[in-house]
Amino acid sequence: MRSTGRFSRRSLLGWSGVVGGGVLLAACGAAPAAMEGEGEMEEKEAPKAEMKEAPVEARKVVHTDWWGPGNAPTLEEYFTGIKTDFAELNPGVTVETVHVRGTIGLQDHVTTMIAAGEQVDTSQVSVAFILNWLLKDFLQPLDPFQAKDPESAPDKFVDSGRFFNVHNGMTYGLPYDGPSTVVMGLNTRILTDAGLDTDREVTWNWDWDQFLEYAQKAHETDGENITRMGYRTSGFSLSGIGRWLYPNGATLYTADNKAAAFDSPQGIAAGQFKEDLKIKHKFDPLPEGATFVNEQVVISQQGSWSVGYIFGNNETLEFDFAPIPKGPDGTTPGSMTWTNQWCLFSVSPDPELAWSWMSWVNSEPTLEKYFAGVLSRNAGRKEFYQSEAWKARTDERPVLKDLEIIADNSGPYPWLHTSAGNEATKPVWDALNNQELTVQEAFPQAAQLINGVLEELGT
């Protein structure tokens, strides 16, 4: 069904296309003129029929999302803006958004809505559960709509988005937020003061040894106490290991997605290096209150989407992003990437209107206005990255420039039954995090548990 390897650069670098959006405009009609009667016309001109506007039909779209206006001012501006703009373009149409905390909460809430027969039309859908919803027939294919809307054709979107939205040869989502990639945040001021080169020619080509050198030189202690953390480590989990696997030539799953593959020699080596950063090189424990934003952590795993958050909390922070370093069995630095989707529910009572809404939200002009102008986030359209709006944003915030390219050298998020996989393997990762198991013991055990999940739930 899908390959588990790296994404091709062809769609990120082969830009094409023009602006489109598929907006549905409400039509206003006029009553036809009265027919002229037979016989001789009166000298006095007959009164003209009064022109009346046809009443506007009231229609509604219901969209669900785990993004919420209360989470950040930029999200408040975003949701208010897209709903207002779409309503102005479509008189009589109301967009109702239902915001639920967290992706697990959203899954439960939508399941309840569908079971109760409530209206639900579109949703942002995470790669963590899109497969689950496909297997439940919650989503309807978009191919018939895309066939009539060339600007929403699959080839308009980036590879990392198109990887997750195809099932049995049909397309079920419009790539939306992404490519989203786990990256290393680098405090360039502190690293430069330590005599280290923070140019991307170096940090976008580094390996484990170079990465360790940077983290150690920026690290500061007072006796046994860490006063400034050179690198903030993270615990073991499916997503926690995924970002380290791909740059060392390993994968989470086999090519046919039927089994786990992270217990390979390359995968175990990546896990051991991750463990060594915490235990052997002593990048632990984290000093109380220390964060990347307050500059008490020099190198920290961040999201490519977190630029707005970082600047919003420390506008003077000098930082850049870099991929996860290359291991000895890898060919290039990379990471773990994904692109969430906007999807159309199979129970939507007005799928044409729902498609009009979701295709407009994901159209080039809307993305330029809100993803470039408000959210400072990567978007799923290829042409977005050549737009004047995105160029202006990257000129203002150079850290954003070319981040989408890291996705090309990365592998996919653990998207196969994520919740079930996390639940099944949690005891193993907890034991590893508590040093009750070694990496060599834990990885094969976790892989066996994942294989049981995949065998039971299928793909």
Side-chain angles (χ1 to χ4, degrees):
M1 183 172 90
R2 301 172 174 87
S3 167
T4 58
R6 304 179 193 280
F7 299 110
S8 165
R9 298 187 66 178
R10 66 185 183 276
S11 70
L12 284 174
L13 301 180
W15 312 105
S16 65
V18 294
V19 171
V23 175
L24 181 70
L25 298 178
C28 292
M35 291 190 65
E36 185 177 352
E38 294 182 1
E40 189 176 3
M41 297 229 2
E42 298 180 359
E43 292 185 359
K44 183 178 179 181
E45 185 177 342
K48 295 181 179 179
E50 183 180 354
M51 304 292 287
K52 295 182 179 180
E53 292 186 352
V56 176
E57 179 185 1
R59 301 165 76 186
K60 182 174 74 170
V61 177
V62 178
H63 174 80
T64 63
D65 214 303
W66 69 91
W67 285 10
N71 295 336
T74 51
L75 288 178
E76 176 81 42
E77 183 178 355
Y78 172 68
F79 280 107
T80 299
I82 58 174
K83 289 195 291 184
T84 300
D85 290 355
F86 189 76
E88 288 178 354
L89 289 169
N90 297 275
V93 174
T94 301
V95 178
E96 178 182 317
T97 53
V98 178
H99 302 280
V100 183
R101 183 178 295 276
T103 57
I104 294 177
L106 180 72
Q107 294 175 70
D108 293 340
H109 192 84
V110 166
T111 301
T112 301
M113 291 178 72
I114 291 176
E118 298 179 25
Q119 180 175 344
V120 59
D121 298 286
T122 66
S123 184
Q124 181 179 182
V125 180
S126 168
V127 301
F129 60 84
I130 190 170
L131 177 62
N132 303 61
W133 280 10
L134 286 169
L135 295 177
K136 292 179 180 179
D137 294 326
F138 277 10
L139 308 177
Q140 64 174 293
L142 304 181
D143 304 78
F145 302 99
Q146 290 176 310
K148 298 182 290 185
D149 184 2
E151 289 308 311
S152 292
D155 63 2
K156 299 293 184 181
F157 298 92
V158 297
D159 273 358
S160 66
R162 296 163 62 191
F163 176 85
F164 297 99
N165 64 8
V166 176
H167 187 69
N168 293 334
M170 303 292 284
T171 301
Y172 286 87
L174 291 180
Y176 172 59
D177 175 41
S180 298
T181 308
V182 178
V183 291
M184 290 292 185
L186 314 177
N187 186 311
T188 54
R189 180 187 62 80
I190 293 177
L191 292 172
T192 300
D193 289 347
L196 298 163
D197 190 349
T198 60
D199 188 274
R200 285 186 173 183
E201 287 294 323
V202 177
T203 62
W204 283 40
N205 292 288
W206 59 359
D207 57 22
W208 286 356
D209 290 338
Q210 290 170 302
F211 168 78
L212 183 58
E213 177 192 4
Y214 276 50
Q216 288 176 326
K217 286 188 175 181
H219 195 66
E220 290 185 350
T221 60
D222 181 7
E224 293 296 318
N225 296 321
I226 298 172
T227 56
R228 187 175 70 194
M229 182 67 78
Y231 168 65
R232 181 176 181 177
T233 58
S234 61
F236 283 91
S237 64
L238 282 177
S239 62
I241 66 171
R243 60 200 69 174
W244 289 96
L245 294 175
Y246 299 110
N248 196 43
T251 62
L252 275 165
Y253 309 115
T254 56
D256 61 3
N257 299 316
K258 299 297 183 183
F262 54 80
D263 57 338
S264 67
Q266 296 88 347
I268 291 174
Q272 189 60 59
F273 180 73
K274 175 179 168 63
E275 175 83 334
D276 287 347
L277 290 169
K278 176 180 179 180
I279 307 302
K280 179 179 178 181
H281 302 296
K282 300 182 178 179
F283 293 119
D284 189 72
L286 182 70
E288 184 176 355
T291 67
F292 181 72
V293 170
N294 68 20
E295 303 194 60
Q296 290 182 299
V297 174
V298 182
I299 304 176
S300 174
Q301 293 179 54
Q302 301 288 329
S304 60
W305 60 90
S306 60
V307 173
Y309 165 81
I310 294 172
F311 275 119
N313 287 275
N314 186 348
E315 62 182 14
T316 64
L317 181 63
E318 298 176 27
F319 73 100
D320 197 9
F321 287 153
I324 308 297
K326 179 180 75 70
D329 292 312
T331 58
T332 178
S335 188
M336 177 182 69
T337 192
W338 64 96
T339 301
N340 292 328
Q341 311 286 324
W342 263 42
C343 298
L344 177 58
F345 286 109
S346 56
V347 296
S348 171
D350 195 345
E352 291 290 343
L353 177 61
W355 167 255
S356 175
W357 153 249
M358 64 185 286
S359 61
W360 175 83
V361 169
N362 290 279
S363 68
E364 182 64 19
T366 308
L367 293 175
E368 289 181 20
K369 180 176 181 179
Y370 289 104
F371 267 63
V374 174
L375 299 176
S376 293
R377 294 176 79 115
N378 291 79
R381 274 189 175 272
K382 295 177 184 177
E383 60 188 315
F384 174 82
Y385 297 98
Q386 289 208 350
S387 68
E388 291 302 319
W390 187 244
K391 289 178 181 178
R393 179 59 79 187
T394 57
D395 286 344
E396 178 189 5
R397 296 176 173 176
V399 64
L400 291 166
K401 186 174 178 59
D402 294 331
L403 286 183
E404 70 278 4
I405 295 176
I406 297 178
D408 294 329
N409 295 321
S410 303
Y413 181 88
W415 57 279
L416 294 171
H417 304 295
T418 305
S419 294
N422 285 337
E423 183 178 358
T425 56
K426 186 178 185 300
V428 176
W429 302 129
D430 286 347
L432 179 54
N433 289 325
N434 294 329
Q435 299 177 51
E436 297 165 0
L437 288 175
T438 67
V439 172
Q440 290 73 19
E441 293 169 333
F443 273 44
Q445 290 184 31
Q448 186 175 6
L449 293 169
I450 287 294
N451 291 343
V453 170
L454 296 180
E455 183 178 357
E456 178 182 357
L457 300 180
T459 58

